[in-house]
């Protein structure tokens, strides 16, 4: 009897271990802070301070996967942005708790379908095809397409992408990888009663083959940022409400080993009640060159905007950043960056920052 009980106990433990091996939940994140002086063109003055997210917006979250058998997996992500300098959650006042990720998905050899808050179609092509990645502080391209300058209620620069870098109420289908080529189809419900046609749709494609990488995207957005921090609810949020915007983008990188080159081109058109309004053309160039245990980074972005009613007509913006990113380990790096920014209707502005970033 004792042997039987022991055998049953061992079998139970083995079955439990097998079940645990088929599913997992991990906690991960990134902490980034810098000290420096910031002034974007159009800001009223320089601000010397300890800032958050010099190279990457700080975040913490949970992700999990369960093997359902037959190649099918269930996945989820719940991720929150936070501000290292103050401890506040979100990227800005009024942002959602899980503004980075709040989604659940099924994936198999035929692709992946996710539901919830997830990436906008513009996000990966933007951050992967500029040398400063997802820096909302120093990346010239990211500043032009995602981040306004000046006070939010009296902005002197409205971001080129009227919709957020993440979309809520979204369905994404991700194709399998075909020899380095993968595409994502995005559909965001507007969730406005009586206006079922109010929505965001988009598609992007990414191709990686050795030293060459290519990307392209298109989106048609009628919803700006349906967070609790939406301008409809909180006018201090940085995403301007829109009627409709259509955007195309193409980008490429090539790694010559001694230097990696980056380039993108984007064009967008805003409409209000079907009438043409602002049109943007955004160009960006960049490079990264390995030096020692880090890389020299340099990036430039230029936006030519016509019909900007807020600026009173045509306006342009040029931004240049140069920096060095040094890795102390695989998970920790330190960086130093200087940036120059000029909107044609505003004064020239300079910024610099020295920071540290840690992944866990």
């Amino acid at each position: 009897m004792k042997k039987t009980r022991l055998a049953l106990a061992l079998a139970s433990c083995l079955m439990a271990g097998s079940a645990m091996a088929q599913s997992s939940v991990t906690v991960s994140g990134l902490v980034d802070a810098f000290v420096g002086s910031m002034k974007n063109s159009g800001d009223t003055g320089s601000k010397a301070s300890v800032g958050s997210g010099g190279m990457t917006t700080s975040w913490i979250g949970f992700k999990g996967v369960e093997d359902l058998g037959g190649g099918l997996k269930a996945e989820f992500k719940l991720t929150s942005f936070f501000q290292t300098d103050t401890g506040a959650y979100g990227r800005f006042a009024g942002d959602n708790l899980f503004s980075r990720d709040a989604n659940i998905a099924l994936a198999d050899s035929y692709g992946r379908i996710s539901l919830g808050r997830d990436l906008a179609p513009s996000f990966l092509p933007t951050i992967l095809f500029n040398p400063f990645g997802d820096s909302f502080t120093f990346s010239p391209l990211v500043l032009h397409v995602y981040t306004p300058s000046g006070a939010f209620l009296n902005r002197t620069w409205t971001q080129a992408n009227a919709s957020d870098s993440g979309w809520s109420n979204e369905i994404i289908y991700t194709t399998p990888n075909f020899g380095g080529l993968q595409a994502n189809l995005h559909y965001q419900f507007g969730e406005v009663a009586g206006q079922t046609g109010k929505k965001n749709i988009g598609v992007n494609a990414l191709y990686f083959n050795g030293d060459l990488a290519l990307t392209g995207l298109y989106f048609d957005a009628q919803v700006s940022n349906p967070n609790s921090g939406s301008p409809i609810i909180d006018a201090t949020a940085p995403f301007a409400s829109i009627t409709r915007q259509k955007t195309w983008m193409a980008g490429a990188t090539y790694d010559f080993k001694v230097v990696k080159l980056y380039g993108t081109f984007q064009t967008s058109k805003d409409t209000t009640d079907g009438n043409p309004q602002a049109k943007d053309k955004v160009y960006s160039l960049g490079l990264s060159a390995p030096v020692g245990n880090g890389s020299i980074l340099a990036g430039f972005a230029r936006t030519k905007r016509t019909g900007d009613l807020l600026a009173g007509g045509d306006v342009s913006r040029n931004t240049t950043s140069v920096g060095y990113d040094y890795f102390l380990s695989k998970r920790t790096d330190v960086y130093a960056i200087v940036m120059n920014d000029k909107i044609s209707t505003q004064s020239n502005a300079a910024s610099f920052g020295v920071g540290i970033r840690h992944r866990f």
Side-chain angles (χ1 to χ4, degrees):
M1 181 63 71
K2 291 182 178 179
K3 290 182 178 180
T4 301
R5 289 176 179 173
L6 179 60
L8 289 173
L10 288 172
S12 177
C13 289
L14 288 172
M15 290 175 66
S18 176
M20 290 177 65
Q22 295 176 25
S23 63
S24 64
V25 176
T26 59
V27 180
S28 57
L30 182 148
V31 185
D32 184 326
F34 71 95
V35 61
S37 176
M38 295 299 303
K39 182 184 180 183
N40 290 332
S41 184
D43 291 349
T44 56
S46 298
K47 181 173 69 173
S49 64
V50 172
S52 179
M55 285 291 284
T56 301
T57 307
S58 299
W59 60 272
I60 185 169
F62 308 87
K63 65 179 180 179
V65 58
E66 181 183 14
D67 189 343
L68 301 175
L72 183 65
K73 295 180 180 180
E75 303 172 349
F76 80 88
K77 291 181 181 178
L78 292 171
T79 315
S80 177
F81 289 115
F82 65 89
Q83 299 164 47
T84 309
D85 54 335
T86 64
Y89 73 82
R91 300 162 292 176
F92 48 81
D95 206 2
N96 287 350
L97 175 60
F98 293 115
S99 53
R100 189 176 190 267
D101 293 298
N103 54 72
I104 189 165
L106 290 175
D108 63 10
S109 60
Y110 295 99
R112 183 178 186 272
I113 296 179
S114 68
L115 302 174
R117 178 165 175 83
D118 212 319
L119 302 178
S122 58
F123 186 71
L124 288 178
T126 299
I127 69 165
L128 295 178
F129 288 80
N130 87 86
F132 288 91
D134 54 348
S135 172
F136 279 65
T137 305
F138 292 109
S139 166
L141 178 60
V142 173
L143 288 174
H144 283 222
V145 301
Y146 284 137
T147 308
S149 68
F152 291 151
L153 290 177
N154 297 291
R155 67 188 71 200
T156 53
W157 180 262
T158 301
Q159 69 281 357
N161 290 351
S163 60
D164 194 359
S165 58
W167 285 3
S168 300
N169 310 316
E170 182 179 29
I171 300 174
I172 301 178
Y173 169 66
T174 302
T175 68
N177 190 305
F178 300 104
L181 176 64
Q182 194 165 41
N184 298 282
L185 306 177
H186 299 248
Y187 187 99
Q188 175 182 313
F189 291 86
E191 296 193 352
V192 178
Q195 298 183 39
T196 56
K198 190 177 181 68
K199 62 188 181 299
N200 289 353
I201 59 173
V203 59
N204 65 39
L206 299 117
Y207 176 72
F208 298 94
N209 185 1
D211 297 326
L212 175 68
L214 301 170
T215 191
L217 73 87
Y218 168 76
F219 70 79
D220 182 347
Q222 297 171 275
V223 180
S224 55
N225 182 34
N227 292 343
S228 61
S230 167
I232 297 173
I233 300 171
D234 179 359
T236 65
F239 296 95
S241 58
I242 58 171
T243 299
R244 192 166 192 174
Q245 184 186 74
K246 296 181 180 181
T247 296
W248 297 86
M249 177 183 173
T253 68
Y254 195 87
D255 192 347
F256 291 94
K257 306 307 180 185
V258 294
V259 63
K260 183 176 181 179
L261 301 181
Y262 301 76
T264 67
F265 171 73
Q266 175 176 312
T267 179
S268 63
K269 178 182 179 181
D270 296 345
T271 62
T272 301
D273 298 328
N275 297 317
Q277 201 172 23
K279 297 179 181 179
D280 282 341
K281 291 184 178 180
V282 185
Y283 311 80
S284 80
L285 295 171
L287 64 84
S288 62
V291 175
N293 206 36
S295 295
I296 294 175
L297 307 174
F300 169 79
R302 173 172 173 79
T303 298
K304 297 177 66 177
R305 176 173 297 167
T306 58
D308 188 336
L309 298 183
L310 292 176
D314 298 349
V315 64
S316 63
R317 184 181 187 185
N318 295 322
T319 307
T320 303
S321 292
V322 178
Y324 182 64
D325 186 20
Y326 180 83
F327 277 81
L328 300 171
S329 70
K330 290 183 178 180
R331 295 190 298 171
T332 303
D333 58 311
V334 292
Y335 56 86
I337 304 169
V338 294
M339 181 175 71
N340 182 269
D341 188 34
K342 178 68 170 72
I343 299 172
S344 59
T345 56
Q346 304 292 330
S347 60
N348 192 69
S351 303
F352 72 89
V354 177
I356 182 169
R357 175 173 53 172
H358 175 77
R359 305 154 186 82
F360 61 90

